[in-house]
């Protein structure tokens, strides 16, 4: 069995394994709403299928597993008042929860760039296989967002304060370090990935952080600091509900659009954050970001 979903994500059945391939190599396999809407029902279907024993997810091309969500589409939608800013976050977080509660072995082959939305597609699964090409980061504070897709759940559970450091700075972990800190469960050389997949089928630097932080959105830093503190005591489901509230707060604000402009569109690397300092971000403003959305809250 092999099926195409608008070719941006491919599904095939290899033996008793369901294989998902993120198929946007030119966009570093960035995750968009169409892909989410194909992956979610396929996972549900395989979970109930007695002929499917495990699920493998991987990225096409040789550069990335998945470099994140489709930030440009979200930015354009937010400026236009389009419902995509609600739909994508809601449906992505529901998919994250589905992966986190999946009953069958779920194996993510994170061979290459794995950031943001790509972390959400891998970190909540039972197995994450890194290679020497793996580049892992949650760089959201640099674009006026916060480390979502369950970041408030898995980051505070890393050893010491590493999760807080990764969340605030967007620091990039490479290769074997991704496994050493517990973000990946296994490590293999990249050229062994194909044979690993076959085997599976056949189976039944902190000192520079203050420099770094000066570049980040003050609002994102305060949001993220509290998000990681709160998430330490929460279940994955509670974290995703919290993060949906934060995502919608970011969609209403300034810094996400300005961060995307400066980093991804104009590429001048000089975002004009509002407020521009940590002291300018009031506790009341942060409190409002965490407030219930009432009927619009995420329901899992």
């Amino acid at each position: 069995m092999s099926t195409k979903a608008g070719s941006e994500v491919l599904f095939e059945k290899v033996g008793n394994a369901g294989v998902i391939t993120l198929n946007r190599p030119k966009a570093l396999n960035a995750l968009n709403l169409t892909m989410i809407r194909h992956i979610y029902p396929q996972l549900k279907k395989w979970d109930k299928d007695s002929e499917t024993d495990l699920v493998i997810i991987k990225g096409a091309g040789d550069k990335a597993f998945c470099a994140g969500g489709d930030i440009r589409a979200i930015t354009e939608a937010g400026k236009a008042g389009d419902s995509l800013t609600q739909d994508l976050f809601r449906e992505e977080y529901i998919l994250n929860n589905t992966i986190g509660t999946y009953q069958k072995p779920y194996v993510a082959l994170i061979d290459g760039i794995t950031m943001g939305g790509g972390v959400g597609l891998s970190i909540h699964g039972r197995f994450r296989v890194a290679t020497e090409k793996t580049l892992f980061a949650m760089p959201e504070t640099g674009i006026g967002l916060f480390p979502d897709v369950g970041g408030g759940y898995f980051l505070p559970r890393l050893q010491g304060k590493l999760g807080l450091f990764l969340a605030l700075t967007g620091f990039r972990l490479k290769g074997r370090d991704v496994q050493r800190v517990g973000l990946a469960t296994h490590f293999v050389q990249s050229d062994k990935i194909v044979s690993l997949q076959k085997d599976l089928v056949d189976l039944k630097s902190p000192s520079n952080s203050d420099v770094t932080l000066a570049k980040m959105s003050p609002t994102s830093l305060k949001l993220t600091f509290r998000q990681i503190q709160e998430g330490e005591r929460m279940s994955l489901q509670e974290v995703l509900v919290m993060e949906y509230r934060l995502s919608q707060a970011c969609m209403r604000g300034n810094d996400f659009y300005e961060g995307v402009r400066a980093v991804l569109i104009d590429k001048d690397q000089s975002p004009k954050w509002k407020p521009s300092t940590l002291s300018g971000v009031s506790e009341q403003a942060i409190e409002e970001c965490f407030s219930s959305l009432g009927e619009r809250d995420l329901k899992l």
Side-chain angles (χ1 to χ4, degrees), residues 9-294:
V9 57
L10 309 176
F11 303 105
E12 58 184 326
K13 195 74 184 301
V14 184
N16 278 16
V19 181
I20 303 169
T21 304
L22 308 174
N23 193 37
R24 299 182 69 203
K26 289 183 180 174
L28 298 178
N29 299 320
L31 183 67
N32 60 30
L33 186 56
T34 303
M35 295 162 75
I36 291 167
R37 286 179 171 172
H38 283 105
I39 294 170
Y40 176 75
Q42 187 65 54
L43 283 178
K44 289 289 193 184
K45 181 179 172 185
W46 279 336
D47 209 18
K48 293 179 183 143
D49 176 20
S50 61
E51 299 293 306
T52 304
D53 293 331
L54 78 155
V55 171
I56 298 169
I57 185 167
K58 61 182 182 174
D62 58 2
K63 291 184 178 175
F65 168 67
C66 173
D70 195 343
I71 296 297
R72 288 174 186 263
I74 299 169
T75 306
E76 289 164 12
K79 288 177 178 175
D82 190 285
S83 68
L84 178 71
T85 56
Q86 298 162 45
D87 298 342
L88 188 139
F89 286 107
R90 181 188 301 112
E91 294 181 41
E92 183 178 20
Y93 294 177
I94 289 170
L95 177 57
N96 297 153
N97 184 59
T98 300
I99 294 167
T101 56
Y102 211 61
Q103 296 302 302
K104 295 181 178 179
Y106 180 97
V107 184
L109 304 178
I110 53 174
D111 180 29
I113 299 167
T114 305
M115 298 185 183
V119 175
L121 288 177
S122 56
I123 194 74
H124 304 297
R126 201 177 305 174
F127 303 107
R128 289 90 60 193
V129 182
T131 74
E132 76 280 4
K133 286 164 43 180
T134 302
L135 184 66
F136 179 103
M138 294 295 283
E140 289 81 3
T141 59
I143 56 166
L145 209 55
F146 62 95
D148 65 333
V149 297
Y153 178 76
F154 67 84
L155 288 167
R157 285 164 174 78
L158 297 178
Q159 191 171 5
K161 296 295 180 187
L162 176 64
L164 182 60
F165 171 69
L166 295 176
L168 293 175
T169 65
F171 186 83
R172 298 177 175 197
L173 288 170
K174 298 176 184 176
R176 198 175 281 278
D177 286 343
V178 180
Q179 185 208 3
R180 286 191 181 114
V181 303
L183 290 162
T185 57
H186 297 79
F187 179 91
V188 299
Q189 291 297 321
S190 183
D191 59 8
K192 300 284 197 302
I193 281 283
V194 173
S195 60
L196 170 66
Q197 183 178 323
K198 184 178 183 302
D199 289 343
L200 287 169
V201 168
D202 290 342
L203 276 178
K204 229 10 194 177
S205 106
S207 60
N208 293 327
S209 61
D210 292 341
V211 178
T212 303
L213 294 182
K215 299 176 185 174
M216 305 306 184
S217 154
T219 299
S220 286
L221 289 175
K222 281 204 170 182
L223 270 187
T224 299
F225 190 84
R226 177 164 165 187
Q227 170 208 5
I228 300 301
Q229 286 184 316
E230 299 267 343
E232 196 168 2
R233 301 181 295 276
M234 290 180 167
S235 68
L236 173 59
Q237 290 73 31
E238 289 169 331
V239 163
L240 291 170
V241 170
M242 169 179 72
E243 292 181 357
Y244 184 71
R245 293 172 182 173
L246 297 182
S247 76
Q248 297 310 292
C250 290
M251 293 302 101
R252 297 191 299 267
N254 161 83
D255 281 8
F256 170 66
Y257 303 103
E258 175 58 13
V260 171
R261 180 206 64 74
V263 175
L264 298 177
I265 298 174
D266 296 339
K267 298 185 179 177
D268 57 31
Q269 309 302 326
S270 299
K272 305 293 186 287
W273 304 126
K274 294 180 185 175
S276 60
T277 63
L278 285 170
S279 59
V281 183
S282 71
E283 290 307 312
Q284 181 184 349
I286 295 300
E287 191 64 43
E288 286 173 4
C289 295
F290 284 84
S291 298
S292 169
L293 297 173

